[in-house]
Amino acid sequence: MTPIKILIVDNELSSAQDLQTRLLKLGYEVIGTATTSAEAVKKSVKLKPNLILMNTRLKTGTLIHSSHNIPIIYISSQAGQDTMRQARSTGPFGYIIKPFDDAQLFVSIEVAQIRFKLESQLRESQQWLNGVLMSIGDGVIAVDNSGNIRFINSRAEEITGWDKTDAIGKPLFE
């Protein structure tokens, strides 16, 4: 099996080196390290890692994940509410609090990879289903459990006179 390629992003060189040693011991491939946010973005584009381990003090996690679809696990010595709130808002695939052992590191990486694979499969299925529903010649309107419109295809727009952007999120009976 191909080892998971990991980019380490940490502004503390000694922490990055320790992490690299641990990852290599666990059988992962460390394809690079970055010490600044700008360097992290450049290396994530150039090296195309499967996963990034990032110190929470560097503020590029959202940009990298949303732009390049790379899962990120944050590493921090802080677990306060403000730190966690900030990390949670970026949609991390994991959060490891220092000090941690190799077992915690291993489990976090493996769970992040499983979650990333499942989310990718779900996204592909949603795109496929959306394509199918858009191409059907009949009008299709889908609602959620509360009766709010979640989807409307172009034929349904023609039949009802509704615009998709106005209809989505509104109650069907409205």
Side-chain angles (χ1 to χ4, degrees):
M1 182 157 40
T2 308
I4 296 170
K5 299 183 299 185
I6 299 175
L7 175 64
I8 299 170
V9 181
D10 197 325
N11 57 343
E12 295 176 17
L13 192 56
S14 60
S15 280
Q17 289 171 334
D18 175 59
L19 191 53
Q20 181 171 356
T21 301
R22 289 170 168 225
L23 292 167
L24 293 172
K25 189 173 85 174
L26 290 169
Y28 298 110
E29 180 182 349
V30 177
I31 60 170
T33 59
T35 57
T36 66
S37 296
E39 186 182 10
V41 172
K42 287 179 187 174
K43 286 192 174 184
S44 64
V45 171
K46 181 181 178 186
L47 301 173
K48 299 187 183 343
N50 302 114
L51 178 79
I52 295 175
L53 293 174
M54 179 179 287
N55 186 308
T56 56
R57 282 175 278 180
L58 297 170
K59 310 288 186 213
T60 53
T62 304
L63 172 67
I64 292 172
H65 178 65
S66 63
S67 301
H68 307 294
N69 200 27
I70 302 169
I72 296 173
I73 296 175
Y74 289 113
I75 297 177
S76 178
S77 56
Q78 301 176 13
Q81 289 183 0
D82 290 339
T83 304
M84 291 303 297
R85 193 173 316 132
Q86 182 181 5
R88 185 175 44 237
S89 72
T90 66
F93 281 72
Y95 193 93
I96 304 173
I97 301 169
K98 295 178 183 179
F100 55 87
D101 60 30
D102 290 350
Q104 290 170 303
L105 182 59
F106 175 78
V107 168
S108 294
I109 291 169
E110 295 300 316
V111 167
Q113 286 298 290
I114 291 167
R115 178 179 159 202
F116 182 72
K117 182 180 178 184
L118 291 172
E119 285 184 10
S120 295
Q121 290 171 341
L122 177 60
R123 196 171 28 261
E124 287 174 17
S125 293
Q126 288 172 332
Q127 289 170 346
W128 177 83
L129 179 59
N130 193 43
V132 168
L133 292 175
M134 289 302 288
S135 65
I136 291 176
D138 295 327
V140 177
I141 299 173
V143 297
D144 61 18
N145 290 339
S146 301
N148 296 320
I149 297 173
R150 296 276 313 230
F151 175 86
I152 180 170
N153 71 358
S154 55
R155 181 67 181 127
E157 284 181 295
E158 290 173 20
I159 294 169
T160 63
W162 300 337
D163 182 65
K164 180 188 319 189
T165 55
D166 295 332
I168 303 256
K170 299 238 171 80
L172 177 62
F173 296 109
E174 192 176 289

